[in-house]
Amino acid sequence: LIKMILLISSKYDATTNIVVKWLNKFEAEYSRLNTEDYSPLTSLKISDGNVNIKIDELDLSNVNIICTRKKI
């Protein structure tokens, strides 16, 4: 079951723009982090063996697929 796809890329990457169009066509839930724009880790919470990580407003616990198009 796909919860959310996280795309990590550059805002100038045309190939990721094509992927975004495809994801929109199939109404997939995704979030895109452009390496030029994101801030470092916003919060890290460890409780009862669960790890919750946030970058800006993106809660990574909702992400179960990560695609990278740029070295991070």
Side-chain angles (χ1 to χ4, degrees), residues 43-56:
S43 71
L44 172 64
K45 181 180 178 184
I46 302 173
S47 175
D48 296 326
N50 295 315
V51 178
N52 294 315
I53 301 171
K54 278 186 148 183
I55 297 174
D56 293 328

Side-chain angles (χ1 to χ4, degrees), residues 1-71:
L1 179 67
I2 297 174
K3 290 192 256 180
M4 183 189 293
I5 300 167
L6 174 61
L7 303 171
I8 302 173
S9 182
S10 166
K11 60 184 167 185
Y12 306 108
D13 182 19
T15 303
T16 301
N17 295 337
I18 293 168
V19 170
V20 165
K21 287 180 185 179
W22 185 82
L23 291 171
N24 286 330
K25 178 180 178 177
F26 291 98
E27 299 179 357
E29 187 173 351
Y30 72 92
S31 187
R32 179 175 179 170
L33 277 179
N34 294 317
T35 55
E36 301 88 359
D37 299 334
Y38 80 90
S39 61
L41 184 67
T42 303
S43 71
L44 172 64
K45 181 180 178 184
I46 302 173
S47 175
D48 296 326
N50 295 315
V51 178
N52 294 315
I53 301 171
K54 278 186 148 183
I55 297 174
D56 293 328
E57 295 300 314
L58 176 62
D59 183 355
L60 295 182
S61 65
N62 294 325
V63 173
N64 63 343
I65 296 175
I66 299 175
C67 295
T68 60
R69 286 277 307 156
K70 183 173 180 177
K71 185 177 177 182

